[in-house]
């Protein structure tokens, strides 16, 4: 099967001239996925069978609540609850091993320690109860597309010199997305490709980290009374942009809601 490339989306994201084209695409995919989950898909049996079992992580549960559509949320929650209760009761009928020291106080105390009895296998012991942080339906759908987006960047860097020079003139990436891209280049590129691309990518990031540093420095300097009439330059929104550069996403975004 030929892998899907997101050439148009990647080029458009770069044209936005934001702090990170991957953040731009990440936001779009995440919002599209939330719309899908609480839009067309939640009455489809096959999708609900998956969300019943895999659940949603904390971050996406909050996003789903904020999005709205309480009836859609309620349907998803109803059958997820039924699945969880079924799991629970099948475990309580003999599969649970009681804590060895016994007694209520001892049990509560024990519960707060990391449970290493079951390893990380989600099917073992109580692991399934916290597995949704890793098996989250939205996270998984996002990761599939995000992987293809990174591959698209690699493809364009390799084959489109014009794209690569636009990228080098851009504002770069946030640190975590840069790390993903850089690791993928190291993994996939030939020695010759890597020798051309990797130093250029590092320079791109260094130049833009310097720019962000200057912005956040000037933001602080502006609070000095001697600078009160001075121009903000590009520092007015330095706080959310510096946050984005360091950790990704858009801290100043309003809550994403159903239209
Ligand atoms: Zn980013
Ligand atoms: Zn998630």
């Amino acid at each position: 099967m030929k892998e899907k490339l997101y050439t148009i989306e990647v080029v458009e994201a770069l044209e936005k001239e934001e702090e990170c084209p991957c953040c731009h695409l990440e936001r779009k995919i995440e919002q599209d996925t939330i719309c899908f989950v609480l839009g067309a898909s939640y009455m489809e049996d096959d999708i609900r069978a998956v969300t019943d079992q895999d659940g949603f992580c904390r971050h996406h549960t909050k996003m789903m609540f904020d999005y709205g559509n309480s009836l859609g949320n309620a349907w998803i929650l109803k059958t997820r609850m039924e699945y969880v209760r079924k799991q629970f009761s099948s475990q309580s009928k003999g599969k649970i091993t009681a804590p060895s020291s016994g007694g209520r106080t001892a049990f509560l105390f024990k519960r707060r320690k990391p449970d290493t009895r079951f390893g990380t296998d989600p099917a073992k012991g109580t692991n399934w109860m916290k597995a949704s942080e890793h098996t989250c339906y939205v996270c998984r759908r996002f990761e599939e597309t995000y992987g293809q987006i990174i591959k698209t960047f690699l493809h364009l860097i390799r084959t489109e010199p014009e794209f690569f020079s636009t990228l080098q003139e851009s504002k770069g990436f946030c640190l975590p997305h840069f790390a993903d891209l850089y690791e993928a280049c190291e993994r996939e590129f030939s020695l010759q490709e890597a020798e051309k691309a990797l130093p250029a990518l590092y320079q791109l990031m260094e130049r833009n980290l310097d720019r962000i540093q200057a912005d956040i420095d000037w933001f602080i300097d502006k609070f000095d009374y001697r600078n009160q009439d001075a121009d903000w330059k590009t520092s007015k929104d330095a706080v959310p942009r510096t946050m984005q550069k360091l950790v990704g996403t858009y801290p100043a975004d309003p809550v994403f809601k159903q239209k």
Side-chain angles (χ1 to χ4, degrees):
M1 195 181 83
K2 201 172 180 298
E3 287 177 323
K4 180 175 160 52
L5 289 176
Y6 290 84
T7 308
I8 297 168
E9 290 85 346
V10 165
V11 169
E12 277 177 4
L14 197 58
E15 282 170 357
K16 300 278 174 203
E17 296 184 14
E18 294 177 0
E19 291 301 338
C20 175
C22 290
C23 282
H24 182 86
L25 291 163
E26 180 181 83
R27 175 169 65 184
K28 167 123 183 44
I29 306 163
E30 196 178 36
Q31 291 180 349
D32 286 352
T33 310
I34 293 289
C35 287
F36 173 78
V37 165
L38 284 166
S41 78
Y42 72 87
M43 293 311 284
E44 311 259 347
D45 288 344
D46 52 334
I47 291 170
R48 281 262 294 293
V50 180
T51 61
D52 288 350
Q53 196 176 327
D54 293 349
F56 298 91
C57 69
R58 241 181 230 195
H59 166 69
H60 287 126
T61 299
K62 168 78 174 125
M63 233 183 133
M64 287 162 71
F65 178 81
D66 288 338
Y67 179 75
N69 189 2
S70 45
L71 181 60
N73 270 305
W75 270 107
I76 292 167
L77 292 165
K78 171 188 157 67
T79 51
R80 168 80 177 142
M81 275 302 290
E82 286 166 1
Y83 172 83
V84 163
R85 285 173 47 247
K86 216 178 278 168
Q87 286 284 102
F88 218 91
S89 79
S90 79
Q91 265 197 342
S92 71
K93 288 188 187 93
K95 285 186 190 162
I96 288 176
T97 41
S100 54
S101 51
R104 189 173 161 74
T105 319
F107 177 72
L108 287 174
F109 178 70
K110 226 180 157 103
R111 203 166 55 126
R112 284 179 170 77
K113 289 186 183 167
D115 195 337
T116 51
R117 289 175 300 170
F118 308 120
T120 52
D121 184 347
K124 292 222 170 105
T126 49
N127 283 353
W128 69 272
M129 297 180 198
K130 6 176 205 187
S132 58
E133 278 306 309
H134 313 287
T135 57
C136 170
Y137 181 77
V138 180
C139 285
R140 290 228 317 256
R141 273 183 73 105
F142 167 73
E143 275 157 20
E144 284 162 20
T145 316
Y146 177 61
Q148 287 309 115
I149 283 180
I150 293 292
K151 282 190 180 154
T152 309
F153 269 99
L154 262 55
H155 171 76
L156 292 171
I157 290 171
R158 258 181 183 142
T159 60
E160 303 284 340
E162 205 181 314
F163 174 85
F164 193 40
S165 68
T166 310
L167 185 65
Q168 282 170 276
E169 296 303 311
S170 76
K171 292 182 176 167
F173 298 86
C174 71
L175 273 182
H177 284 142
F178 177 74
D180 290 339
L181 182 74
Y182 196 87
E183 286 162 17
C185 289
E186 283 185 317
R187 223 173 27 241
E188 307 280 332
F189 279 3
S190 68
L191 188 62
Q192 201 189 0
E193 287 169 332
E195 276 175 352
K196 184 166 171 270
L198 298 188
L201 288 173
Y202 248 103
Q203 277 168 24
L204 165 70
M205 279 303 282
E206 239 170 355
R207 196 177 67 247
N208 281 289
L209 291 172
D210 291 351
R211 173 180 57 81
I212 289 282
Q213 182 75 62
D215 282 350
I216 200 77
D217 289 353
W218 180 240
F219 183 89
I220 292 169
D221 289 347
K222 262 292 285 171
F223 283 79
D224 186 324
Y225 73 97
R226 284 166 296 186
N227 291 326
Q228 62 182 356
D229 296 324
D231 191 76
W232 273 99
K233 299 184 215 173
T234 52
S235 288
K236 218 161 198 174
D237 58 350
V239 168
R241 282 191 297 104
T242 308
M243 286 175 169
Q244 181 182 7
K245 214 43 157 189
L246 290 170
V247 297
T249 80
Y250 297 82
D253 260 5
V255 164
F256 179 60
K257 278 186 188 295
Q258 188 177 23
K259 292 206 176 68

